[in-house]
Every structure is written in structure tokens, then in C-alpha cells.
Amino acid sequence: MHRSLQALQYYTSHSEDDIIRLHERIRSSLASTESLTDTMIRLTGDAPRVPFKQDTVTVDEWQNFLAGKHHESLADFYGTLVARPILTEDGSLEDDEPEAPATLSRSQRDDTPRRQKTKPIAPPRPKRKLPWGWIALLILCFLLGAAGTYIYSNYLASPKSSAPDATVEQPVAVEESTEDEKTNDKPEAKPDANVLYVNTRNSNIYRDEELTDVLYEADFGDGYRILEASDSISKVELTDELTGYIKNADTTKELSGDAIADETLLTWVNDNLDTSFVTETLIDLIGKSSAELNSLYGPPDPERTFPDKVNEYLFYGNHFFTLQDDRVIAIDWSEADVTNDKLATLAPLQLESETTGLVMSNSYRLQRFAKNGTDLSRVRLAEQNL
């Protein structure tokens, strides 16, 4: 459910006093310099499944958000918070047991008849009114956020910055459909016109336009940003400082289906691959340096560790890390029991052959390569940094 709809459902099922008290508890927590994650734990007892993009928020930003100013991290925090059971501040108090009345002896009892009391009939309680003011404010915040996102993505953001890089899906403006439009059972893929993907098992990337000097060997499913293109070759960006040329026949711009959520992809990896070596989370390993890996796992296997002209590869047992500019950009499992059919249980494959498969989320790629002569495969979790 969208975070705005979750907040709307909370507003319609709680009184105005409950809503105001919740806002005050959030404000008090932020005023004590607690982060959004700490506030979530304080109010619900559980941490968020996906870290917030901006975890530290001031009280003024919170007040501005309640006043209608769009704030992406606060909107994500608030939608996630109200979707969970919220703890009471002190817990429920047990009612004191009423003291048993003393028993009078027959001689002490008053035998005079007592006048019967008639209980007054309480007037019917008025129906609780819906907090229409808060509902209107929430709808206004949602519309302002959607409009701001549309303007930014279409008029202000550059092509490179418009690539999805967050683990939380952004709100989008919904266009009204006409009765004459036909709905497809399968969502249309909307590939970036400036990005190509390798669709062969291995493809050479050359240093020169004449394709005589091999610079790098790309894997199936690797993605690159196009700098220049002709009918037969394309100039692509390998790193911030290195470019090369690749044959158009070895690539494609068309992918089937859409990217899935980051959390869905990472959960599948944790459930289907050996992650016993992960001391924190998979996301924490992406971006670590060789020195940090050495601190966690010791020195890599010296007989298999090697660099090429683009990356460095550090091997540890049945998995290895790919580093670019001394920063982990991919993790490979070299002996994984994964087939294309098993990978398709995650999501429909967006690119595949008999021995390879590709599924992408907003921020990551999951690539599968069959190992010749065995029932095993190599599986790569790579950062989608385009």
C-alpha cells in the first residue's frame, strides 16, 4: 500500500486526539536528537526493513512537513510508522480490585426498607467526527509531492541523475486512462535510451574505434551508459575516467518487464544463496574498500586474486568481490545451485539465454551464468550505477 494511503487509513480509524498525541511524541523524539530509525523503534518496537534515505531530521523539518511542505524521508517514515501497531507510552495499567465490603452481623443490619434508586438514562454518545482537516492536509501533501516529483524528473533532473538509485520507490503522477485504451497483461519495459546491456555471454570492449586493441571483457547483463553511437559500434563509459568501444550486435537496449523493488531482490538473495559470510547486510558490503574486506575476512586467496584494466577481483573461498576504484561494486557466488527457472521465481527474467539470466531492481542487478560441464552456476549481485 502506498505510504500516503497508509497514513490516510490511520487518520480515518483514529481520533483527532490520538493523531495529535502521535505527532507530539514524534516531535519530542526528534527534539531529543533521535534519528528516524530510533523514533520508529521507540514507537513500534521494530526497526524499519529498509534504511531511511535521510535518517536525521530536525524538529523544524517535522513541523514544516505537518504544515504541508513535502519531505521525502519524513513521508516514507510516516507512512511506514502508521502501518504498524504503535506502542502505548506506559503500557496498560491493571485496574485495582475493588475492596470487598465488610459483612455485617444480623444485629448490625438495618432492616428498614430501602428506597430503590432509579438509574438515570445516559444520553446517547455523539458519533465521532472524522478529522477532515487532517485528511485534507494529507491529500494536499500527497498532491504537492507528486507534482514536485513530476516537475523535477521532467524539467530539472539531468539524464544521469534521473536513473533510479534509491531503495524506496518514488511516488509518480497517475494519468487518467480513457475507455478506448487497451490494457496489456504484461507491463511495457521503458529502457533508458542512453544505456545498453550486453546480451552475449562475453563481449570484448575495445580501446580504439577500429576495434583492434581489447581493453576489457564484459559479462552478459552488464550495463553501460552510451557516450556516442554509430550503426555498428557504440562508445560507452566504463568508469568515470575510462571509455571504450563495443559492437552493437553484442548489446541491446530492450529489456522485458520492469525493475522490481530492491528489498524483494535482496530478500531472494538471502534466501537462495549462501550469505553466511555476511557479517552485517549485503548492502553494507557494497562500497567497502579492500582494506575493510581484509579487516573482516583476512587477506584474499593470492593465487586467484587479480586485477584487469577496469576492476580488481578479490577471492574468498566460493565467492569473490569485484572492486572498482578500491570500492566493492559486485559480489559473485561461484558455485550456486541456481537455474534460470529458479531465478524466475524472483521475477520474470528481463534478459536471458540458455545459459544466462538477468533480473534488475531499482539499484541492483542479479546476473546468472551457467558453468559448463556442471549443474552449478555463477551468480552476481552488482550495483546498478548508471
Side-chain angles (χ1 to χ4, degrees):
M1 182 182 293
H2 195 278
R3 58 193 178 197
S4 297
L5 296 181
Q6 291 170 338
L8 178 60
Q9 185 181 39
Y10 180 84
Y11 280 2
T12 57
S13 61
H14 290 74
S15 67
E16 185 173 356
D17 291 340
D18 292 337
I19 296 170
I20 293 175
R21 182 55 190 155
L22 175 60
H23 291 175
E24 177 58 25
R25 292 175 70 186
I26 296 173
R27 188 204 65 77
S28 176
S29 178
L30 297 178
S32 63
T33 68
E34 287 188 345
S35 66
L36 293 180
T37 299
D38 293 336
T39 303
M40 177 72 70
I41 296 173
R42 175 190 290 274
L43 296 178
T44 66
D46 293 318
R49 294 182 179 179
V50 179
F52 297 113
K53 191 171 184 180
Q54 179 185 342
D55 201 27
T56 303
V57 177
T58 65
V59 174
D60 290 339
E61 289 177 299
W62 169 247
Q63 297 294 350
N64 291 336
F65 173 73
L66 292 181
K69 184 176 181 181
H70 177 68
H71 192 291
E72 180 181 349
S73 293
L74 280 174
D76 187 30
F77 160 79
Y78 196 76
T80 305
L81 174 68
V82 299
R84 299 181 177 184
I86 298 176
L87 301 176
T88 58
E89 296 177 62
D90 302 318
S92 56
L93 298 176
E94 295 182 358
D95 295 331
D96 293 331
E97 295 182 2
E99 188 174 337
T103 304
L104 298 177
S105 65
R106 181 177 297 275
S107 62
Q108 293 173 319
R109 294 176 184 170
D110 187 1
D111 295 332
T112 58
R114 298 182 179 180
R115 184 177 58 187
Q116 294 183 350
K117 295 182 180 180
T118 58
K119 296 182 179 180
I121 300 175
R125 297 178 62 184
K127 294 183 178 179
R128 180 181 293 173
K129 296 181 179 179
L130 292 175
W132 293 111
W134 287 106
I135 295 174
L137 176 61
L138 178 65
I139 294 174
L140 177 61
C141 291
F142 173 73
L143 293 177
L144 289 175
T149 301
Y150 178 81
I151 293 172
Y152 177 81
S153 61
N154 287 274
Y155 299 100
L156 300 179
S158 63
K160 188 165 186 175
S161 64
S162 64
D165 58 356
T167 60
V168 180
E169 296 181 1
Q170 306 297 326
V172 296
V174 179
E175 297 180 359
E176 296 183 359
S177 60
T178 63
E179 295 181 356
D180 296 333
E181 290 178 345
K182 297 181 179 179
T183 58
N184 294 325
D185 294 336
K186 201 172 184 181
E188 288 187 12
K190 299 177 181 178
D192 190 336
N194 292 322
V195 174
L196 56 77
Y197 295 90
V198 178
N199 64 356
T200 60
R201 184 63 185 265
N202 299 105
S203 179
N204 289 334
I205 297 181
Y206 299 87
R207 189 186 302 275
D208 57 325
E209 219 171 332
E210 290 73 24
L211 309 183
T212 58
D213 185 7
V214 175
L215 175 63
Y216 179 69
E217 188 176 86
D219 276 332
F220 172 91
D222 287 352
Y224 299 101
R225 186 165 296 278
I226 302 171
L227 301 178
E228 299 175 10
S230 66
D231 293 338
S232 59
I233 62 173
S234 293
K235 182 179 181 181
V236 296
E237 179 183 65
L238 296 175
T239 68
D240 291 339
E241 300 176 352
L242 189 62
T243 61
Y245 296 86
I246 189 171
K247 297 177 182 178
N248 292 341
D250 293 345
T251 68
T252 182
K253 296 181 182 178
E254 300 294 332
L255 299 178
S256 62
D258 294 325
I260 63 175
D262 291 344
E263 185 176 0
T264 301
L265 186 146
L266 294 173
T267 299
W268 189 94
V269 171
N270 281 314
D271 292 342
N272 292 274
L273 297 175
D274 177 18
T275 56
S276 59
F277 63 91
V278 180
T279 56
E280 300 174 61
T281 66
L282 288 168
I283 296 177
D284 294 325
L285 283 176
I286 300 294
K288 287 195 180 297
S289 65
S290 56
E292 290 173 314
L293 293 178
N294 188 75
S295 176
L296 286 172
Y297 307 117
D301 185 347
E303 296 183 358
R304 295 192 294 165
T305 294
F306 68 95
D308 58 25
K309 297 175 183 177
V310 178
N311 302 317
E312 182 180 11
Y313 307 91
L314 305 183
F315 283 76
Y316 292 87
N318 292 330
H319 61 275
F320 64 90
F321 300 93
T322 301
L323 286 77
Q324 190 174 105
D325 297 328
D326 198 32
R327 178 182 178 276
V328 174
I329 62 170
I331 307 170
D332 283 67
W333 287 259
S334 57
E335 295 183 0
D337 183 18
V338 175
T339 62
N340 273 4
D341 289 340
K342 187 172 182 178
L343 183 59
T345 62
L346 167 62
L349 303 185
Q350 294 172 273
L351 196 63
E352 64 177 309
S353 70
E354 292 183 357
T355 59
T356 56
L358 169 69
V359 174
M360 291 197 308
S361 69
N362 294 330
S363 307
Y364 303 99
R365 297 193 310 271
L366 199 59
Q367 300 158 253
R368 178 253 174 185
F369 313 91
K371 298 185 72 172
N372 294 333
T374 72
D375 295 331
L376 300 175
S377 300
R378 175 167 61 91
V379 177
R380 167 176 295 172
L381 172 66
E383 185 179 39
Q384 180 79 341
N385 187 17
L386 297 174

